[in-house]
């Protein structure tokens, strides 16, 4: 809804983690003749009671990478989406894939951490692997399928 902020009005903008919000609508704001577009967001309630886990993808294809070379790094977000902390016991990567992370052993509700993955094929052809996250979330473990092609 268009509106005008008057000379004596105050605007407060607060930045929050994207894991705590869902995307809303684009809004154009003009203050003192300066105009910009921003996306308004709404706080989302936890998606599950107790501990829960969400990953930014359920599978990832790294495409074709020359044998012996490495792909560019790809990020995967792990989010504690329940009402209780997520206890991460292990994160394992298999196949011609490797990665690193700085995830804490206990990820508080609503918080996220990032795993950085890469593909380094050892032979030509289709390659597959996975990221297996063992935690206290129901449906344990969480598995993200990985694919790529050695070229």
């Amino acid at each position: 809804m268009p509106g005008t902020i008057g000379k004596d009005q105050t605007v407060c903008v607060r930045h929050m983690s994207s894991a705590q919000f869902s995307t809303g609508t684009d809004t154009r704001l003009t203050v003192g003749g300066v105009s910009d577009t921003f996306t308004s967001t709404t706080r989302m309630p936890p998606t599950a009671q107790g501990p829960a886990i969400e990953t930014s993808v359920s599978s990832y294809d790294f495409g074709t990478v020359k044998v012996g070379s490495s792909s560019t790094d790809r990020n995967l977000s792990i989010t504690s989406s329940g009402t209780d902390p997520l206890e991460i016991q292990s994160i394992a990567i298999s196949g011609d894939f490797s990665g690193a992370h700085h995830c804490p052993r206990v990820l508080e509700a609503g918080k996220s951490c990032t795993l950085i993955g890469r593909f380094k094929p050892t032979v030509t052809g289709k390659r597959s692997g996975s990221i297996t996250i063992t935690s206290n979330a129901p449906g344990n473990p969480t598995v993200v399928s990985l694919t790529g092609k050695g070229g």
Side-chain angles (χ1 to χ4, degrees), residues 4 20-21 34 47 61 67 78 80 85-86 104-105 110 118 129 136 151:
T4 303
Q20 298 172 338
F21 292 85
V34 177
T47 57
D61 184 349
V67 172
I78 300 169
S80 175
L86 178 68
R105 193 181 88 61
R118 67 191 64 85
N136 65 334

Side-chain angles (χ1 to χ4, degrees), residues 1-146:
M1 174 165 95
T4 303
I5 299 171
K7 176 181 163 189
D8 297 322
Q9 291 179 304
T10 303
V11 175
C12 179
V13 178
R14 188 173 163 195
H15 176 74
M16 296 287 185
S17 159
S18 62
Q20 298 172 338
F21 292 85
S22 70
T23 303
T25 57
D26 286 342
T27 305
R28 187 146 194 88
L29 176 66
T30 303
V31 179
V34 177
S35 192
D36 201 0
T37 301
F38 67 96
T39 301
S40 60
T41 55
T42 306
R43 182 163 177 75
M44 297 298 293
T47 57
Q49 294 294 315
I53 185 171
E54 286 183 18
T55 56
S56 55
V57 296
S58 59
S59 64
Y60 191 83
D61 184 349
F62 283 83
T64 302
V65 176
K66 183 179 176 183
V67 172
S69 297
S70 287
S71 69
T72 57
D73 290 347
R74 300 291 185 229
N75 292 337
L76 166 81
S77 294
I78 300 169
T79 301
S80 175
S81 58
T83 56
D84 293 341
L86 178 68
E87 295 176 15
I88 301 172
Q89 283 99 29
S90 66
I91 300 174
I93 302 175
S94 67
D96 289 354
F97 304 88
S98 62
H101 70 86
H102 297 287
C103 294
R105 193 181 88 61
V106 176
L107 190 59
E108 295 300 323
K111 300 291 183 180
S112 296
C113 64
T114 302
L115 181 132
I116 301 166
R118 67 191 64 85
F119 172 49
K120 185 174 182 177
T122 56
V123 297
T124 59
K126 185 175 179 181
R127 310 298 293 155
S128 61
S130 64
I131 300 170
T132 303
I133 305 163
T134 305
S135 70
N136 65 334
N140 188 47
T142 301
V143 178
V144 176
S145 300
L146 304 174

